[in-house]
Amino acid sequence: FFSKKRRNEGKRQRKGKLHSKAKPLTISHASATNDSLRKSLPSLRTSCIQNIENMSDNGLRQRKAATTQTKAMQVDDGRHIIDKDNKNVDNDVPFILRPWVYFQKALPPMIFFGLNFSVTIFSMLFFALVKYAGTQLLLVNGWPAGTYETTFNVACLVAMSHSTVILIPLYKCMQLQPFVPTRRLSDSPLYWQLSSDALLQYCTGYMIQDSVFTLIRAYKVGYDPSDTVFLAHHFVTVSYMTQCRYLKAGHISTMLCIFAGEVTNPVMMVWYITKNAVDSICCNGPRVAALFNASEFIYAFMYFVVRALIMPLLVVYQFYDIWFTKQPNIPTSVSIYWSLCMLIVVLGSYDYIVDCWSILMTYIKA
């Protein structure tokens, strides 16, 4: 008890000595302190701003270093995609994209104007074979040779072979990367770069061969006013895709436009073929009529929803990314051209949208 009491007395004595040594703060001291603080405020403000800028610069450098490291994670040895440890990572490529990576790497390069068109030429040959097979299929089933309806149906079969093959890989590519239409190609993994470029080449090959086939058909069996719309659409699409490949940016924008345009194509082509079959003498029947009625409603509903409701919103989003995000990847002249192309495609769909609305109203009233 006494030792505890002595300790408490010692603490009180030491505390009293400390208070006795402390000097009171006079008015002169306070004013001097305020003056020194006032003088040091600008330097403090400047140092704080510099620290914030340094932190931002360091963060930017770290992000750039991380991006560079990510790019360096995968390289192409000509046969396989390998990582920095020299390990084969081909198996890490999504299954649906592996054929596109394979064709891009296996085909010999065919360089024109600084771009590789090997997949484009391969796809043109593929669609030529589909055209031949489709022609023989229709002739075997009784369609007359050399007529407009038969050649048009062959074109529909070729269009179906294009859209059904490309839709799922396009969706997968857009799903795997940030949804930024003007994103640079180099910011994506190597397998994505190869597969996306192959998909654009495949679509380019289809547009070129279909344009040539349309001109040949118009020369042989007569020109149809709708051919002008298809030829203009193909020219706009090919120029859009080629500029994207040349700039190595905007692949998401291009694939988004292709996907929105092709997602309704399979059922649309079935409707065209069955419509011609119902109107024909050789190939009409109850099964064909049932397939025509089903495809007509599905086509009208899908086309109206995609072209009248979804596509305008996608175009507005792309306009925002191109013009209001200060993106440095697409030049102004190309941005103007791309914007005009998207507007042309949307406006060019107006007559088809009206027809689909009429079809839907017919079924609703019935």
Side-chain angles (χ1 to χ4, degrees):
F1 170 79
F2 288 107
S3 62
K4 183 176 181 182
K5 184 176 181 181
R6 284 196 297 271
R7 285 197 301 271
N8 292 335
E9 289 178 356
K11 288 181 181 179
R12 285 195 294 270
Q13 291 176 1
R14 287 193 297 273
K15 188 175 181 180
K17 290 180 180 179
L18 289 173
H19 282 291
S20 63
K21 289 181 181 180
K23 295 181 179 181
L25 183 64
T26 61
I27 296 176
S28 60
H29 288 148
S31 61
T33 303
N34 292 333
D35 292 338
S36 62
L37 287 173
R38 193 178 300 109
K39 292 178 181 179
S40 63
L41 279 177
S43 60
L44 288 173
R45 188 183 300 111
T46 303
S47 63
C48 289
I49 293 174
Q50 290 177 352
N51 290 332
I52 293 173
E53 291 178 350
N54 292 333
M55 291 172 63
S56 301
D57 293 339
N58 291 332
L60 181 61
R61 283 193 294 269
Q62 290 176 359
R63 286 194 296 271
K64 288 183 177 179
T67 303
T68 305
Q69 184 179 3
T70 302
K71 295 177 186 177
M73 288 291 290
Q74 294 181 348
V75 296
D76 186 2
D77 70 342
R79 295 172 301 169
H80 306 285
I81 300 176
I82 57 176
D83 62 6
K84 63 179 182 179
D85 297 325
N86 201 29
K87 295 180 180 179
N88 185 0
V89 294
D90 282 339
N91 293 330
D92 296 335
V93 179
F95 176 78
I96 197 64
L97 299 181
R98 291 179 189 177
W100 302 97
V101 176
Y102 171 79
F103 284 122
Q104 183 77 300
K105 295 164 66 63
L107 294 175
M110 299 180 183
I111 308 299
F112 300 98
F113 306 103
L115 293 176
N116 184 15
F117 286 92
S118 58
V119 179
T120 300
I121 297 174
F122 175 82
S123 63
M124 292 175 65
L125 297 175
F126 168 74
F127 291 124
L129 293 175
V130 174
K131 175 182 175 296
Y132 176 79
T135 302
Q136 299 304 315
L137 178 65
L138 292 179
L139 294 179
V140 169
N141 285 274
W143 287 88
T147 62
Y148 176 84
E149 289 75 14
T150 301
T151 54
F152 183 81
N153 289 341
V154 172
C156 291
L157 292 174
V158 177
M160 289 177 62
S161 67
H162 167 253
S163 57
T164 53
V165 169
I166 203 174
L167 280 174
I168 297 178
L170 280 176
Y171 176 78
K172 189 63 178 180
C173 280
M174 291 187 293
Q175 182 188 31
L176 291 173
Q177 295 299 304
F179 199 67
V180 181
T182 58
R183 179 181 172 86
R184 291 178 301 179
L185 183 64
S186 58
D187 292 338
S188 303
L190 179 59
Y191 77 85
W192 197 92
Q193 299 179 33
L194 296 174
S195 57
S196 62
D197 187 77
L199 287 169
L200 296 191
Q201 287 195 57
Y202 180 80
C203 187
T204 301
Y206 165 74
M207 298 296 173
I208 294 175
Q209 74 80 30
D210 192 58
S211 299
V212 174
F213 178 62
T214 300
L215 294 175
I216 295 174
R217 175 172 52 82
Y219 176 77
K220 289 184 176 181
V221 299
Y223 187 80
D224 189 86
S226 62
D227 293 339
T228 304
V229 177
F230 284 102
L231 291 174
H233 170 269
H234 292 355
F235 174 80
V236 167
T237 306
V238 170
S239 60
Y240 200 117
M241 291 186 293
T242 305
Q243 291 174 359
C244 167
R245 294 182 59 217
Y246 182 80
L247 295 172
K248 300 186 184 304
H251 285 64
I252 295 293
S253 172
T254 309
M255 289 190 288
L256 183 62
C257 294
I258 297 172
F259 185 84
E262 296 295 331
V263 69
T264 58
N265 183 269
V267 66
M268 182 181 185
M269 295 301 106
V270 172
W271 177 68
Y272 274 141
I273 295 173
T274 55
K275 182 176 183 295
N276 290 332
V278 169
D279 295 336
S280 68
I281 300 176
C282 66
C283 306
N284 194 3
R287 294 182 179 178
V288 174
L291 183 58
F292 166 73
N293 292 328
S295 62
E296 184 180 43
F297 178 79
I298 297 173
Y299 153 68
F301 178 77
M302 290 184 61
Y303 195 94
F304 182 83
V305 170
V306 173
R307 295 298 183 101
L309 303 178
I310 298 177
M311 184 172 281
L313 297 178
L314 296 177
V315 170
V316 170
Y317 176 74
Q318 295 209 59
F319 278 12
Y320 171 79
D321 184 65
I322 291 174
W323 294 107
F324 298 102
T325 59
K326 298 180 180 180
Q327 53 84 21
N329 303 324
I330 311 299
T332 302
S333 58
V334 179
S335 298
I336 295 173
Y337 180 74
W338 286 12
S339 302
L340 291 175
C341 289
M342 287 185 278
L343 287 177
I344 290 172
V345 171
V346 172
L347 296 177
S349 305
Y350 176 76
D351 290 339
Y352 294 92
I353 293 173
V354 173
D355 292 341
C356 290
W357 178 254
S358 301
I359 294 172
L360 290 175
M361 289 299 99
T362 301
Y363 277 92
I364 291 174
K365 292 178 181 178

